[in-house]
Amino acid sequence: MLYLFCFIDRTNIGNARLVGFEKDLGLKGYDYNAVLSYFYISYILFEIPANMLCKWMGPGWFLPICTIGFGISSLAYAYVKDIHSAAGVRFLLGAFEAGLLPGLAYYLSRWYRRSELVFRLSLYIVAAPLAGAFGGLLASGILKMTSVAGLRTWRMIFFIEGIVTIGVGIIALFTMTDRPGSARWLSEEEKDLAISRLKSERVGVTEVLDRIDKPKLLRGMFCPITLATSWIFLLINITVQGLSIFAPTIIRTIYPKHTVISQQLHTVPLYIAGAVLTVAISFASWKYDRRTLFMLISGPLIVIGYVMFLATNNPQVRFGATFLIAGGAFPFGALCNAHVSANVVSDTARSSAIATNVMMGNLGGLISTWSFLPRDAPNFPIGNGLNLASSTLVVITAAAMLVWMKFDNKKRENVDVSSKLAGLSQKQIQDMDWRHPAFRWKL
């Protein structure tokens, strides 16, 4: 629920655009793209500090407070008057949302083993495409109303969705539990079992929740798998974030003669396709305990979709292509965050690895805000060409990463673990993290 409304509050600006957002605020030229960019600037700046704060405060407090914050920001959007206030509120929205995606991934990693994590991540990341579907339906329903609290048209969307988000955040403040050890609804035996399950697969670690320290922090950020996966997440978010913000605009280019409500509703089925494949692919990834393989299955769907989109102006073919694009792109949220989590050891390294991955992903989001420019309308060949190139690079990078991981695992098989650890203190062994000679990359 938290991530559903996080994504709705992020993307409802795309729905507002269809009903006079730009005209009412006097936005011209590239002003709309600039307003979108302010969100990603704050998101990127606060990403890693937010996840460190999440670990320090505890997710049970941090995540609901973030939700209330971006709910208030969404509510404030109902009252913006010009580009300056719109950009300022958008910056605040990004600052509050920065901690949620990595914070939730880190939170769930406190409960589930590495092979189990990807499917559990998908059960909240599926809220991203569902937010697109639900957001389109909700916006269509809101726009049928005459006014709310003296507000009309697009301002009603921000007001109502902001109020609901604040309510969800307040409920979470009283219901979320930090970790298995503090869960009132678990018995002592169940708490011990939950902690033992996590500890059993962490090489060289004696505690599940460690203190924040610099060596482990840097191990998570600069792990080669974190860097490679973060590059993939950057590339894929050019598509995911671009689709989320510009889907109503893209549908308008396919069906220009349809009513605004019809255009809003046409975004719903492609998001449902994205939601179904997010859960299905993540479930298969969990059962086979493979993440890179399913990146190589999902990536080509996006490539094919953009080839179809660029190759024809036929509305039916283009609309069908959006299903392939959404279905291939949305599963990467769960796959990439689970992959970086699986390939570090300590709690601190995991929190910084996930934060680095999401920060890089939002660099892709920043790029996406400039991928569909007014001068490129109505068919946006530059924006669609950029997405074709980035999705092709995703497939190439995932293939190269898989080959390297297999090669390095074979190399580690020949290392004498005892001699490598001889003379090292327990602290030095723990700080090795993924450099520990007994550690193996999870494919």
Side-chain angles (χ1 to χ4, degrees):
M1 290 295 289
L2 297 183
Y3 194 57
L4 175 71
F5 284 97
C6 170
F7 221 80
I8 285 176
D9 290 352
R10 179 188 311 183
T11 59
N12 55 14
I13 193 169
N15 301 109
R17 189 186 194 189
L18 294 187
V19 285
F21 176 80
E22 290 173 290
K23 181 181 177 182
D24 290 351
L25 297 187
L27 305 186
K28 298 176 182 177
Y30 302 130
D31 286 349
Y32 178 75
N33 303 82
V35 168
L36 296 180
S37 297
Y38 279 98
F39 171 88
Y40 290 104
I41 291 170
S42 58
Y43 206 122
I44 292 162
L45 288 174
F46 291 107
E47 195 73 64
I48 292 176
N51 227 34
M52 295 303 99
L53 186 59
C54 179
K55 178 176 169 60
W56 180 74
M57 284 181 65
W61 287 99
F62 179 79
L63 298 175
I65 289 170
C66 283
T67 304
I68 294 168
F70 62 71
I72 293 170
S73 301
S74 180
L75 178 64
Y77 236 95
Y79 299 95
V80 296
K81 301 296 183 184
D82 52 31
I83 185 174
H84 306 294
S85 55
V89 175
R90 194 79 183 163
F91 185 88
L92 285 175
L93 184 70
F96 283 114
E97 286 200 9
L100 201 79
L101 173 57
L104 284 168
Y106 164 66
Y107 176 55
L108 290 182
S109 72
R110 287 184 166 194
W111 296 80
Y112 296 105
R113 289 162 64 91
R114 289 184 294 191
S115 62
E116 302 164 343
L117 188 60
V118 63
F119 180 63
R120 275 69 183 186
L121 290 181
S122 77
L123 295 179
Y124 88 81
I125 285 175
V126 72
L130 287 178
F134 183 59
L137 289 170
L138 189 57
S140 300
I142 292 171
L143 291 173
K144 290 181 178 179
M145 301 167 67
T146 306
S147 67
V148 174
L151 302 169
R152 297 179 181 275
T153 63
W154 58 268
R155 295 184 186 276
M156 296 189 299
I157 297 174
F158 290 112
F159 180 84
I160 292 174
E161 292 175 358
I163 289 289
V164 175
T165 302
I166 293 167
V168 171
I170 291 171
I171 292 169
L173 201 59
F174 294 98
T175 55
M176 286 192 77
T177 301
D178 262 348
R179 59 193 185 278
S182 62
R184 292 187 299 271
W185 39 272
L186 290 178
S187 67
E188 288 303 318
E189 289 178 340
E190 289 168 334
K191 291 176 185 178
D192 291 341
L193 175 59
I195 294 167
S196 297
R197 291 176 75 252
L198 297 178
K199 193 181 289 186
S200 67
E201 64 176 4
R202 297 187 183 175
V203 176
V205 172
T206 57
E207 54 188 355
V208 173
L209 296 181
D210 56 346
R211 292 181 178 273
I212 297 174
D213 64 55
K214 186 177 177 181
K216 294 188 190 117
L217 200 68
L218 296 176
R219 285 279 187 262
M221 292 170 65
F222 296 105
C223 169
I225 300 308
T226 299
L227 296 175
T229 307
S230 297
W231 170 242
I232 289 174
F233 206 46
L234 184 155
L235 295 168
I236 207 67
N237 267 284
I238 296 175
T239 297
V240 171
Q241 303 291 353
L243 190 65
S244 301
I245 296 168
F246 292 104
T249 303
I250 293 167
I251 294 298
R252 185 167 60 185
T253 68
I254 300 174
Y255 300 110
K257 295 181 181 179
H258 285 218
T259 65
V260 170
I261 289 179
S262 174
Q263 291 167 353
Q264 300 270 22
L265 293 176
H266 268 85
T267 65
V268 174
L270 67 96
Y271 284 122
I272 292 173
V276 170
L277 279 179
T278 294
V279 174
I281 288 173
S282 298
F283 182 81
S285 173
W286 167 36
K287 290 303 180 182
Y288 287 97
D289 195 13
R290 292 288 185 274
R291 287 148 295 278
T292 319
L293 171 64
F294 289 94
M295 292 182 195
L296 291 171
I297 291 171
S298 301
L301 295 177
I302 312 168
V303 175
I304 294 167
Y306 278 110
V307 168
M308 290 169 60
F309 210 94
L310 286 162
T312 181
N313 288 324
N314 183 290
Q316 283 75 29
V317 174
R318 284 189 148 197
F319 189 53
T322 62
F323 284 79
L324 290 176
I325 294 165
F330 279 109
F332 275 86
L335 292 171
C336 288
N337 281 299
H339 197 54
V340 296
S341 179
N343 284 292
V344 292
V345 180
S346 67
D347 189 70
T348 296
R350 197 165 61 257
S351 65
S352 65
I354 293 169
T356 301
N357 182 57
V358 178
M359 181 190 72
M360 290 291 286
N362 283 288
L363 280 172
L366 181 59
I367 293 168
S368 76
T369 63
W370 295 93
S371 58
F372 292 91
L373 299 173
R375 71 175 186 217
D376 202 24
N379 290 320
F380 301 103
I382 295 173
N384 290 313
L386 172 66
N387 279 279
L388 174 59
S390 63
S391 56
T392 303
L393 276 173
V394 164
V395 177
I396 294 170
T397 306
M401 180 170 62
L402 179 60
V403 170
W404 183 84
M405 291 169 79
K406 287 184 174 181
F407 168 78
D408 198 60
N409 276 347
K410 284 185 179 179
K411 198 165 80 170
R412 286 171 181 248
E413 294 290 346
N414 300 319
V415 173
D416 184 349
V417 175
S418 299
S419 64
K420 281 283 185 180
L421 300 181
L424 298 179
S425 67
Q426 184 62 46
K427 174 72 165 61
Q428 289 173 316
I429 292 172
Q430 288 186 352
D431 286 347
M432 293 177 82
D433 208 84
W434 53 268
R435 286 183 176 271
H436 194 290
F439 179 79
R440 297 293 181 272
W441 302 115
K442 294 288 186 180
L443 308 180

